[in-house]
Amino acid sequence: MATVVPAAVAPTTGADHTPLQSYVGFDSITKQIESKLLKRGFQFNVMVVGQTGLGKSTLINTLFAAHLIDTKGRFTSDAPIRSTTEIHPVSHVIVENGVKLRLNIVDTPGYGDQVNNDNCWDPIIKYIKDQHSAYLRKELTALRDRYIVDTRIHCCLFFINPTGHGLRPIDVTVMKKLSDVVNVVPVIAKSDSLTMDERDLFKERIRAEMTYNAIRAYPFDSEDYEADERDANERIRTLIPFAVVGSEQSVVIDGKQVRGRKNRYGIVNVENESHCEFTHLRNFLTRTHLQDLIETTAQIHYEAFRSKQLLALKESSSKAQASQQAH
Ligand SMILES: Nc1nc2c(ncn2[C@@H]2O[C@H](COP(=O)(O)OP(=O)(O)OP(=O)(O)O)[C@@H](O)[C@H]2O)c(=O)[nH]1
Ligand SMILES: [Mg+2]
């Protein structure tokens, strides 16, 4: 292959770039990228996992400020709360200031309440791996699409029962299995049932148990992260697991409609930081780490799956070749 030799090497100026004599205009590349991305839109796939009845479906609807998942029977307002019975992806397009976000939400049935809970997490892990393998298949076809539709799960919200005690053995197992294949973000469900002191103690205990059990939760630090990204991740690690409250009901506080829960003792305002950490979770998911969740899924989880599959493919084809030669 011919190597390209530069015609003349620009004189070094002492600075890390060569000065320009007039305006060239390549600074507009950021605008060009922006307009292309805005046209295409973004894809974000999130999954919720946890024990039955912890408010998984409700929290998704609270997070994206829209009724995305049906939690109630369809026809009457007093119909019973509907439990999720199968892995159920729903797609929505939401738009904010011209930015189009295609959301895939994968609701999963609560696990762990059967007599025999052996391998109850298998369908969930399988679902995540199936998305990786569908993406790989599309990548490997000769005439592949310019943009492959991405259904890989970028974030798995893992719901912890607000017992105040700690993780159940089954939670440890499921979290470990999940963190091998997906970005896991743990949350304490229904945290309105804990006092502030109980909540802080519980959070600390869960962080300790996660470290003890070598559960690698998101975010991870990579070598190419700048200092500000590392600082942001460090701050998030002190907040995890987010103690959240979900609600689709509007309540009136000081004449303003807010999403909250009214109980016998008062009102919990979901978006009030002194009541719960819902806004921290929402900021983290949508305002600070959305792009990083998408990137790390491709660079860490999908990459691990892809190289394993390709190695297996190579091995099986060389075995087939060897046996052909033997005959
Ligand atoms: N106190 C309290 N109740 C909640 C909260 N979030 C949801 N709930 C209630 O808990 C019940 C179950 O909520 P769902 O969202 O259906 O729970 P789920 O985890 O999706 O349940 P499954 O699909 O059966 O696994 C409903 O009555 C909700 O109103 C919360 O943060 N605090
Ligand atoms: Mg549900």
Side-chain angles (χ1 to χ4, degrees):
M1 206 176 76
T3 47
V4 180
V5 180
V9 176
T12 43
T13 57
D16 63 349
H17 60 262
T18 308
L20 300 173
Q21 266 125 36
S22 64
Y23 180 62
V24 178
F26 59 81
D27 59 348
S28 71
I29 191 167
T30 50
K31 281 267 164 299
Q32 297 169 35
I33 295 172
E34 188 184 325
S35 87
K36 214 170 194 167
L37 285 177
L38 284 180
K39 267 186 221 134
R40 201 190 309 160
F42 299 86
Q43 176 78 51
F44 184 53
N45 307 323
V46 54
M47 179 184 241
V48 287
V49 175
Q51 221 179 309
T52 307
L54 286 183
K56 300 184 288 296
S57 305
T58 307
L59 190 79
I60 284 293
N61 292 339
T62 320
L63 263 177
F64 295 102
H67 189 73
L68 306 176
I69 296 181
D70 247 351
T71 46
K72 291 203 180 87
R74 264 171 220 275
F75 301 113
T76 51
S77 58
D78 57 354
I81 302 291
R82 188 185 282 176
S83 187
T84 313
T85 51
E86 55 187 15
I87 297 184
H88 180 54
V90 286
S91 300
H92 290 271
V93 176
I94 51 179
V95 181
E96 203 169 50
N97 292 323
V99 178
K100 192 162 63 179
L101 186 66
R102 280 195 208 88
L103 262 181
N104 269 346
I105 295 154
V106 183
D107 201 4
T108 65
Y111 68 81
D113 42 15
Q114 305 295 316
V115 178
N116 181 355
N117 290 314
D118 285 356
N119 302 334
C120 59
W121 52 84
D122 275 355
I124 298 172
I125 303 285
K126 180 174 181 305
Y127 184 92
I128 297 169
K129 286 190 173 169
D130 282 351
Q131 311 315 308
H132 285 177
S133 113
Y135 197 90
L136 181 60
R137 263 202 311 276
K138 283 185 214 146
E139 244 185 7
L140 293 179
T141 49
L143 288 171
R144 64 175 178 189
D145 297 335
R146 213 156 136 226
Y147 300 113
I148 300 174
V149 178
D150 188 4
T151 58
R152 297 170 296 183
I153 303 296
H154 301 127
C155 173
C156 171
L157 292 178
F158 185 86
F159 285 65
I160 299 166
N161 202 344
T163 56
H165 298 306
L167 294 170
R168 295 180 310 163
I170 191 170
D171 287 334
V172 173
T173 310
V174 178
M175 268 173 116
K176 249 178 122 73
K177 299 246 174 224
L178 282 170
S179 58
D180 284 341
V181 289
V182 71
N183 291 330
V184 176
V185 175
V187 300
I188 298 173
K190 300 188 176 181
S191 71
D192 48 325
S193 63
L194 298 169
T195 66
M196 286 302 165
D197 288 345
E198 283 168 348
R199 181 182 99 176
D200 293 343
L201 209 67
F202 193 40
K203 278 170 71 115
E204 221 161 88
R205 193 168 290 169
I206 288 174
R207 279 198 293 266
E209 282 189 42
M210 284 173 62
T211 311
Y212 178 77
N213 290 291
I215 297 170
R216 205 168 158 247
Y218 181 83
F220 329 107
D221 276 338
S222 133
E223 279 158 21
D224 51 330
Y225 280 3
E226 302 286 335
D228 59 332
E229 289 173 299
R230 284 171 192 276
D231 288 349
N233 285 351
E234 204 44 60
R235 202 180 55 83
I236 292 299
R237 275 187 219 109
T238 63
L239 281 172
I240 276 175
F242 297 95
V244 295
V245 175
S247 171
E248 285 195 78
Q249 307 290 315
S250 282
V251 289
V252 178
I253 298 180
D254 299 333
K256 263 206 262 162
Q257 289 260 345
V258 293
R259 267 165 317 144
R261 308 192 70 87
K262 205 183 213 160
N263 61 23
R264 267 179 295 169
Y265 317 105
I267 295 175
V268 181
N269 176 357
V270 166
E271 303 203 20
N272 185 334
E273 282 178 27
S274 62
H275 291 188
C276 76
E277 296 173 328
F278 170 80
T279 45
H280 291 297
L281 173 68
R282 190 181 54 193
N283 288 350
F284 160 72
L285 284 182
T286 60
R287 299 181 195 181
T288 61
H289 283 71
L290 181 59
Q291 172 60 16
D292 193 69
L293 281 161
I294 298 171
E295 245 174 55
T296 44
T297 299
Q299 289 168 359
I300 298 178
H301 300 296
Y302 175 66
E303 204 47 45
F305 175 86
R306 185 177 170 275
S307 55
K308 214 161 131 189
Q309 291 289 309
L310 293 184
L311 265 178
L313 211 69
K314 205 169 138 192
E315 258 170 38
S316 71
S317 77
S318 54
K319 258 189 211 151
Q321 243 176 11
S323 81
Q324 251 179 5
Q325 280 165 359
H327 285 299

